[in-house]
Amino acid sequence: MTLLNFKLLSAVLIISSFSVVNSQSTSSLFSYEEYVDTQGDTLKYRQLVCDYADNTKKYPLVIFLHGMGERGSNNEAQLKWGVRNFATSENMSQNPCILIAPQCPDNSVWGNYNRNMELQAQPTKPMQLLRELINEVIKKSPVDPNRIYITGLSMGGFGTYDAISRYPDLFAAAVPVCGGGDISKAKDFAHIPIWIFHGAIDSIVNPILSVNMLNALTEAGATPGYTQYPEVGHFSWIMSYSDKNMMTWLFKQRKKTKVTD
């Protein structure tokens, strides 16, 4: 091995080791929690309360929905992608918040759609439990009810659209990443500020689903943000949650009154 190759290998190992340590350190900021309903059904979740939180103030509540690959019962996997960006020292100081990251059980999903992407009448059990959990967090924590945000990637992106379709008066903003939803419901949540993200060559979730929602929201009178990354596939969330402009935009949002005819 040449001296140059040795130095390059050493640099890679140092960076990799730092990333692992930093990842573990950030994960430790999320407490292990679970919500149990009156029937005994459980939704496990991790909760972040920023270090700068002051119980005399009210803070935004962020709901983070993971993708299909992070389902399970270990209450760990849902922190794999994106959510740690909310727990950096920079973001916690600039955008102190309370964040809950629930874990969807195996063999279930966040959003309840049929093959034609039509929203079904009843939410999935995880979505129902999540709605109840949000109520509990609002009651027990210093949450600003006018600053409740929801975001999710892939399966969580579909879940984000499901949630704002069912509970359009709950959320102040939404950031669906590489997801899709029932475009016929767009008029119901057109008052919610939304920033949509997708990769242009996503082979897992067709970006046309985001384009269709963008068009439906625009036709409904909304002014959604839309970012499509060229030459990016399904992993568009890596750039989405690293986007400081998105973070700044998100935490500026406050609930708007729904306009009715």
Side-chain angles (χ1 to χ4, degrees):
M1 178 182 292
T2 66
L3 178 60
L4 177 59
N5 287 339
F6 178 77
K7 288 182 177 179
L8 289 174
L9 177 60
S10 298
V12 170
L13 290 174
I14 290 172
I15 293 172
S16 299
S17 297
F18 174 79
S19 298
V20 171
V21 171
N22 185 59
S23 176
Q24 293 173 342
S25 176
T26 305
S27 296
S28 68
L29 298 174
F30 294 83
S31 62
Y32 290 84
E33 310 288 347
E34 64 178 24
Y35 170 74
V36 183
D37 70 4
T38 55
Q39 285 75 45
D41 293 312
T42 301
L43 182 67
K44 294 185 177 182
Y45 67 100
R46 300 290 289 275
Q47 178 168 299
L48 170 72
V49 178
C50 292
D51 294 342
Y52 303 91
D54 177 350
N55 285 333
T56 65
K57 299 179 181 180
K58 298 288 187 179
Y59 292 90
L61 173 62
V62 179
I63 312 301
F64 188 96
L65 303 182
H66 64 77
M68 186 170 291
E70 290 70 61
R71 292 180 298 178
S73 59
N74 61 8
N75 212 2
E76 293 275 0
Q78 73 266 39
L79 301 186
K80 182 176 181 179
W81 300 111
V83 67
R84 293 194 188 99
N85 292 69
F86 289 88
T88 63
S89 297
E90 179 182 5
N91 193 66
M92 287 195 296
S93 61
Q94 294 179 357
N95 305 303
C97 67
I98 298 167
L99 182 146
I100 55 176
Q103 184 175 33
C104 186
D106 287 323
N107 303 316
S108 192
V109 292
W110 296 120
N112 190 8
Y113 304 95
N114 64 16
R115 291 185 178 182
N116 296 320
M117 285 303 300
E118 296 169 334
L119 189 72
Q120 300 303 284
Q122 296 300 318
T124 63
K125 191 63 178 182
M127 180 59 69
Q128 178 185 329
L129 291 171
L130 174 60
R131 182 65 183 91
E132 295 172 7
L133 170 59
I134 293 172
N135 284 342
E136 287 294 305
V137 174
I138 293 173
K139 290 177 183 177
K140 297 179 179 179
S141 303
V143 171
D144 182 346
N146 292 314
R147 299 179 69 195
I148 300 176
Y149 312 131
I150 186 166
T151 184
L153 59 93
S154 194
M155 183 184 79
F158 287 87
T160 297
Y161 284 121
D162 181 290
I164 61 178
S165 297
R166 295 184 193 280
Y167 319 115
D169 298 323
L170 177 63
F171 299 103
V175 180
V177 180
C178 57
D182 185 342
I183 61 174
S184 73
K185 303 296 183 182
K187 62 183 181 300
D188 296 334
F189 54 81
H191 62 287
I192 300 176
I194 297 174
W195 193 339
I196 302 167
F197 289 85
H198 219 121
I201 56 173
D202 191 332
S203 61
I204 305 300
V205 178
N206 195 321
I208 194 63
L209 295 178
S210 286
V211 173
N212 288 344
M213 186 61 76
L214 169 66
N215 292 335
L217 284 167
T218 302
E219 291 175 6
T223 55
Y226 183 70
T227 298
Q228 181 169 288
Y229 297 110
E231 300 182 10
V232 172
H234 194 49
F235 282 69
S236 55
W237 57 77
I238 293 176
M239 287 180 287
S240 303
Y241 292 114
S242 299
D243 189 331
K244 293 182 180 180
N245 290 327
M246 184 278 285
M247 287 289 189
T248 299
W249 171 86
L250 179 64
F251 285 97
K252 283 183 178 179
Q253 305 308 313
R254 283 169 172 75
K255 188 185 295 184
K256 296 180 180 179
T257 302
K258 182 178 178 181
V259 178
T260 57
D261 295 331

